[in-house]
């Protein structure tokens, strides 16, 4: 087993973790207050620390504290960017923390994203010097990028680097571009505290939430130190702790292979996990594993405890995987033993919930098409409008189309001309600091709606089965969403009660700590639970919920309870379905390490699942979509 070289703490939830961290920070502030000294904090932005800042603010208010002795240095800022721009880290920090506490303005230091470029070197040196003048950072808060960056020290940054201007990596731009309304306004540079600057902090707290961070956390903690993974240098720091939720810790060896570090409960799920892991480790199909393989790879306890031989264990897990594979995701009209879905009723009424207007086709397009072709009454429910994810250029293009259409058919009356001019002028003169007008947001929503509708027509379902929920929690026009309310649940409940489905599909991103997907899933689960409570003997009794993974992740093989194979032709069919989402292709102009489009990513992921099943000794398909059943 790989050794763990950084201390970490794992919490059941993000909230529990940030409560501990907030407590540490507040205690440190109060200690210094008693000594009449400053506490110097190094602060990060991004999704990760938001809950921590909320917790600090609520403790500050509840306990009537003062933070007048706090001096802050932020890690980074985009360049160039105006302070007032909603995406600036200056705005972020004020919105989440500084506007709510009494840290004096002169104690707040955030790299200036508008400092003249010709003086930037000196400016950066002065930033480092100022930290030194305050006696260095007492507590440095860090997040971690998917590529292992800390601050904006991208892979390849020197461990001796100091505060400086850097060019953002493609992956970072790709992830962070979600915050910007057009490609043009996404800065490609940033100012960041250097790695050497960070390492000089007396204490470092790195936080990570959600399974998207699991891999990079395991690499930083267990792999060798390399500039290709900047966070790995934290292994050399004398007082650094990683605070993780259980999802972010899931790739650590001690979590991934718990049988290597402790005695475990050998239930069905644990056995499946261990056997599959052994196959991948030895690159052997399940039915080729020998008792010796188990004994030599830390699984003798399993053999001894179960009093069995490899042969029996192998068969048990092999059958589970074999039975999960089905070309009949809605169940088959004849009774099949151990099929993941019920045969009856057939056909079924089905709702596919899609958080954004394209998640259904990207994440389960093959299954969507099959369900319809197999005669089920398939409905789609688009939970949010997705209106902030359309770039302005695309709106301009659409407006021009409408204008030309009007001219062509003599509809270019004064009012239409005026509307066209007003909307195009708004976009053309929009500054980086400006949010979209409600009209532009509506246009963006319509664009996405038309794309989803065209996907459904492509699949073949009737327009009456396509539902746009436009859940209100999403409609802020900004990245930051409102907290979901009963209104969101009621809209979801109404659709469920109208359709009364026997099968429901949802994006199962429970591990996504901030995302719209998690909120959307929780809303469906809440709606189903409320319906169950209100009418336990009603249609809900026969309703099953299947989860697909949204975005770019897939379920781990040992979690999968239904795997739907796809032929090469079905892969192409799905690709064409994804093509309907033209406004989502605008990300491509960024060139870099991963310039794959949505359909390519989806195909790679489905192919990878099929290859993993094949490696385990099951039939080799071209591609596979995967699902987990959720008991609500
Ligand atoms: C931002 C910063 C970055 C982020 C990292 C993770 O100040 O220092 O290193 O911590 O990009 O971002 P989130 O938290 O959004 O996943």
């Amino acid at each position: 087993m790989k050794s763990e070289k950084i201390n970490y703490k794992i919490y059941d939830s993000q909230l529990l973790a940030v409560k501990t961290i907030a407590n540490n920070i507040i205690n440190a502030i109060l200690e210094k207050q008693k000594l009449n000294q400053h506490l110097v904090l190094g602060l990060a932005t991004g999704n990760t620390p938001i809950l921590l800042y909320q917790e600090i603010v609520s403790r500050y208010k509840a306990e009537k504290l003062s933070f007048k002795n706090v001096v802050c240095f932020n890690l980074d800022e985009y360049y160039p960017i105006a302070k007032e721009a909603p995406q600036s880290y200056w705005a972020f920090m004020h919105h989440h923390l500084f506007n709510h506490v009494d840290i004096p303005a002169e104690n707040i230091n955030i790299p200036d994203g508008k400092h003249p470029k010709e003086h930037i070197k000196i400016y950066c040196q002065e930033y480092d010097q100022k930290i030194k003048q305050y006696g260095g950072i007492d507590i440095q808060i860090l997040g971690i990028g998917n590529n292992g960056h800390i601050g904006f020290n991208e892979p390849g940054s020197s461990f001796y680097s100091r505060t400086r201007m850097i060019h953002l990596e493609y992956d970072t731009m790709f992830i962070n571009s979600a915050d910007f309304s057009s490609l043009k306004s996404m800065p490609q540079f940033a100012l960041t505290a250097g790695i050497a600057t960070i390492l000089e902090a007396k204490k470092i707290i790195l936080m990570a939430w959600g399974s998207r961070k699991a891999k990079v956390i395991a690499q930083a903690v267990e792999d060798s130190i390399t500039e290709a993974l900047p966070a790995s240098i934290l292994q050399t720091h004398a007082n650094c702790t990683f605070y993780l939720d259980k999802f972010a810790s899931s790739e650590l060896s001690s979590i991934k292979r718990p049988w290597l570090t402790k005695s475990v409960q050998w239930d069905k799920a644990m056995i499946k996990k261990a056997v599959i892991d052994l196959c991948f480790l030895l690159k052997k199909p399940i039915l080729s594993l020998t008792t010796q393989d188990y004994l030599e790879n830390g699984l003798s306890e399993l053999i001894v405890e179960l009093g069995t031989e490899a042969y029996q264990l192998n068969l048990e897990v092999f059958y589970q995987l074999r039975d999960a594979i089905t070309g009949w995701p809605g169940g088959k009209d004849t009774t099949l033993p151990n099929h993941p879905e019920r045969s009856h009723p057939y056909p079924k009424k089905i709702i596919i919930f899609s958080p954004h207007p394209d998640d259904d086709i990207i994440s389960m397009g093959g299954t969507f098409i099959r369900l319809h072709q197999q005669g089920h009454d398939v409905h789609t429910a688009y939970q949010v409008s997705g209106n902030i994810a359309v770039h302005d250029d695309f709106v301009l293009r659409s407006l021009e189309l409408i204008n030309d259409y009007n001219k062509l058919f003599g509809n270019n009356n004064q009012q239409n001309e005026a509307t066209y001019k007003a909307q195009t002028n708004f976009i053309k003169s929009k500054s980086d600091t400006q949010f979209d007008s409600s009209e532009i947001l509506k246009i963006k929503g319509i664009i996405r709606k038309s794309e989803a509708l065209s996907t459904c027509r492509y699949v073949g379902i009737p327009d009456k089965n396509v539902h746009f929920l436009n859940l209100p929690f999403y409609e802020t026009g900004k990245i930051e969403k409102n907290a979901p309310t009963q209104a969101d649940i009621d809209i979801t409940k109404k659709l469920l009660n109208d359709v009364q489905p026997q099968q429901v599909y949802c994006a199962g991103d429970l591990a996504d700590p901030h995302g719209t997907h998690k909120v959307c899933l929780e809303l469906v689960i809440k709606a189903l639970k409320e319906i169950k409570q209100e009418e336990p003997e009603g249609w809900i009794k026969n309703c099953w919920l299947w989860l697909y993974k949204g975005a770019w992740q897939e379920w781990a093989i040992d979690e999968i309870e239904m795997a739907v194979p796809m032929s090469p032709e079905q892969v192409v069919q799905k690709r064409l379905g994804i093509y309907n989402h033209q406004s989502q292709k605008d990300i491509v102009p960024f060139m870099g390490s991963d310039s794959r489009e949505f359909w390519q990513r989806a195909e790679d992921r489905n192919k990878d699942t099929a290859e993993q099943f094949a490696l385990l000794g099951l039939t080799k398909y071209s591609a596979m979509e995967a699902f987990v059943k959720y008991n609500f």
Side-chain angles (χ1 to χ4, degrees):
M1 197 181 89
K2 287 185 184 175
S3 62
E4 295 170 337
K5 298 166 221 158
I6 297 181
N7 291 330
Y8 58 83
K9 295 183 179 177
I10 302 170
Y11 293 82
D12 274 346
S13 74
Q14 198 193 139
L15 186 64
L16 289 174
V18 301
K19 277 187 185 292
T20 312
I21 302 168
N23 204 40
N24 289 348
I25 293 175
I26 290 172
N27 284 345
I29 296 173
L30 299 179
E31 284 296 311
K32 290 275 186 181
Q33 247 164 41
K34 278 190 219 146
L35 303 170
N36 218 4
Q37 288 175 359
H38 282 122
L39 182 88
V40 186
L41 282 179
L43 296 176
T45 55
N47 281 320
T48 308
I50 292 178
L51 201 62
L52 173 66
Y53 297 148
Q54 274 172 20
E55 178 64 20
I56 291 176
V57 170
S58 70
R59 293 254 333 244
Y60 167 88
K61 287 184 179 158
E63 294 166 37
K64 299 196 168 45
L65 302 171
S66 169
F67 293 165
K68 284 214 163 98
N69 65 323
V70 174
V71 176
C72 303
F73 287 90
N74 259 82
L75 280 169
D76 40 20
E77 178 61 284
Y78 291 118
Y79 191 93
I81 199 162
K83 279 179 184 168
E84 303 76 25
Q87 304 88 349
S88 81
Y89 286 165
W90 192 96
F92 174 99
M93 287 309 301
H94 283 77
H95 177 66
H96 290 287
L97 183 65
F98 299 144
N99 289 347
H100 315 285
V101 296
D102 65 349
I103 301 175
E106 63 274 19
N107 289 5
I108 294 172
N109 300 282
I110 303 173
D112 176 9
K114 273 283 183 200
H115 201 83
K117 199 162 178 190
E118 58 276 24
H119 301 138
I120 218 75
K121 269 198 169 171
I122 297 182
Y123 173 77
C124 290
Q125 282 164 6
E126 285 169 358
Y127 201 75
D128 275 340
Q129 272 160 20
K130 196 164 178 193
I131 297 176
K132 282 213 172 96
Q133 278 159 17
Y134 276 102
I137 307 267
D138 291 310
I139 304 176
Q140 174 67 56
I141 299 296
L142 291 180
I144 183 168
N146 289 10
N147 59 7
H149 73 215
I150 44 177
F152 271 144
N153 294 288
E154 300 286 31
S157 296
S158 158
F159 291 153
Y160 301 99
S161 57
R162 293 271 158 200
T163 301
R164 69 202 184 289
M165 185 186 291
I166 54 97
H167 193 295
L168 291 168
E169 228 208 17
Y170 169 73
D171 284 345
T172 306
M173 291 210 284
F174 178 79
I175 293 166
N176 293 19
S177 69
D179 295 351
F180 291 84
S181 62
S182 78
L183 293 177
K184 287 193 295 276
S185 54
M186 168 78 207
Q188 302 195 0
F189 298 92
L191 301 175
T192 181
I195 296 188
T197 319
I198 293 173
L199 286 176
E200 277 166 9
K202 289 163 205 155
K203 176 174 175 164
I204 295 181
I205 292 175
L206 184 144
M207 301 178 288
W209 325 124
S211 48
R212 257 181 284 174
K213 297 286 169 76
K215 204 164 157 219
V216 75
I217 288 295
Q219 288 168 335
V221 172
E222 299 178 4
D223 287 357
S224 36
I225 299 174
T226 162
E227 273 145 348
L229 194 94
S232 63
I233 191 66
L234 297 172
Q235 292 176 15
T236 63
H237 195 277
N239 189 359
C240 170
T241 307
F242 281 16
Y243 286 74
L244 313 170
D245 67 3
K246 55 179 193 260
F247 301 111
S249 72
S250 60
E251 286 289 324
L252 289 167
S253 298
S254 61
I255 305 295
K256 208 173 167 194
R257 302 192 174 106
W259 49 87
L260 294 182
T261 48
K262 58 178 189 232
S263 178
V264 297
Q265 187 73 31
W266 287 110
D267 57 16
K268 210 170 155 188
M270 189 65 88
I271 294 173
K272 194 174 172 195
K273 188 176 163 87
V275 173
I276 291 174
D277 183 68
L278 187 58
C279 290
F280 289 138
L281 197 72
L282 303 180
K283 298 198 169 46
K284 268 188 168 186
I286 300 180
L287 296 179
S288 301
L289 293 176
T290 62
T291 304
Q292 198 60 22
D293 289 333
Y294 283 85
L295 299 180
E296 283 174 0
N297 289 283
L299 287 167
S300 60
E301 191 190 71
L302 175 59
I303 299 283
V304 173
E305 207 167 293
L306 268 67
T308 184
E309 292 290 312
Y311 177 69
Q312 205 50 44
L313 278 171
N314 294 351
L315 274 183
E316 205 175 292
V317 176
F318 181 83
Y319 289 150
Q320 280 178 45
L321 287 177
R322 183 199 61 186
D323 293 341
I325 302 173
T326 178
W328 296 85
K332 201 166 185 204
D333 204 7
T334 54
T335 308
L336 292 171
N338 304 322
H339 194 269
E341 228 331 321
R342 301 146 296 170
S343 301
H344 300 293
Y346 196 101
K348 290 186 174 56
K349 282 184 282 180
I350 294 170
I351 302 182
I352 299 174
F353 281 95
S354 179
H356 298 96
D358 54 357
D359 292 307
D360 54 347
I361 191 77
I362 291 174
S363 297
M364 57 167 289
T367 308
F368 181 7
I369 295 170
R370 259 180 203 265
L371 288 169
H372 169 69
Q373 287 174 347
Q374 290 169 357
H376 299 287
D377 182 23
V378 182
H379 292 246
T380 49
Y382 299 100
Q383 295 173 276
V384 305
S385 66
N387 57 11
I388 59 161
V390 177
H391 290 305
D392 293 344
D393 297 346
F394 203 88
V395 178
L396 275 184
R397 216 188 301 167
S398 308
L399 289 172
E400 273 153 17
L401 183 80
I402 298 166
N403 193 44
D404 283 351
Y405 169 89
N406 282 339
K407 279 189 198 155
L408 191 65
F409 294 103
N411 296 334
N412 51 332
N413 57 34
Q414 256 186 342
Q415 196 189 345
N416 283 343
E417 284 282 343
T419 316
Y420 169 69
K421 275 207 185 107
Q423 301 308 338
T424 45
N425 283 346
F426 177 86
I427 290 201
K428 284 180 181 163
S429 59
K430 197 171 119 184
S431 75
D432 291 358
T433 57
Q434 221 173 335
F435 289 113
D436 278 333
S437 64
S438 64
E439 286 91 354
I440 294 292
L441 280 175
K442 276 186 201 140
I443 298 170
K444 290 185 172 179
I446 293 171
I447 290 172
R448 297 217 64 185
K449 184 178 169 194
S450 70
E451 291 170 346
L453 203 54
S454 119
T455 308
C456 291
R457 288 189 192 132
Y458 169 79
V459 172
I461 66 169
D463 288 3
K464 70 171 176 53
N465 281 19
V466 186
H467 311 271
F468 294 95
L469 304 187
N470 290 319
L471 294 179
F473 85 89
Y474 181 88
E475 295 304 315
T476 57
K478 302 180 204 158
I479 295 296
E480 203 179 348
K481 305 293 181 272
N482 292 326
T485 66
Q486 189 61 36
D488 299 292
I489 300 175
D490 288 345
I491 294 171
T492 312
K493 263 170 85 176
K494 170 146 190 350
L495 177 72
L496 283 163
N497 275 323
D498 286 350
V499 177
Q500 309 200 344
Q502 285 97 18
Q503 230 193 11
V504 168
Y505 290 87
C506 269
D509 299 300
L510 265 172
D512 179 358
H514 317 280
T516 297
H517 282 211
K518 186 177 182 222
V519 177
C520 285
L521 174 62
E522 283 169 350
L523 285 168
V524 177
I525 294 174
K526 276 189 190 142
L528 288 167
K529 281 186 176 163
E530 283 188 17
I531 295 171
K532 196 172 176 184
Q533 217 164 22
E534 288 159 13
E535 264 190 88
E537 293 306 313
W539 63 267
I540 196 85
K541 235 176 108 179
N542 296 315
C543 179
W544 283 19
L545 173 58
W546 288 98
L547 304 182
Y548 59 90
K549 270 264 159 101
W552 313 121
Q553 291 168 304
E554 191 50 278
W555 298 105
I557 297 291
D558 63 281
E559 293 172 314
I560 296 172
E561 289 170 285
M562 179 160 75
V564 182
M566 293 156 81
S567 68
E569 286 77 13
Q570 285 166 330
V571 170
V572 175
Q573 223 181 346
K574 172 172 171 175
R575 183 189 308 167
L576 298 179
I578 298 174
Y579 280 177
N580 285 294
H581 293 276
Q582 290 178 339
S583 71
Q584 301 306 294
K585 284 163 69 78
D586 275 15
I587 50 164
V588 173
F590 281 134
M591 294 307 291
S593 56
D594 188 354
S595 53
R596 291 176 305 166
E597 286 193 38
F598 284 99
W599 64 270
Q600 290 170 310
R601 290 172 185 237
E603 278 179 24
D604 288 352
R605 155 186 166 178
N606 296 155
K607 190 166 149 237
D608 184 56
T609 308
E611 276 169 2
Q612 292 192 60
F613 268 84
L615 199 147
L616 294 169
L618 290 121
T619 308
K620 184 161 172 44
Y621 291 95
S622 266
M624 272 179 167
E625 289 173 344
F627 303 87
V628 166
K629 191 169 170 237
Y630 186 92
N631 296 318
F632 49 91

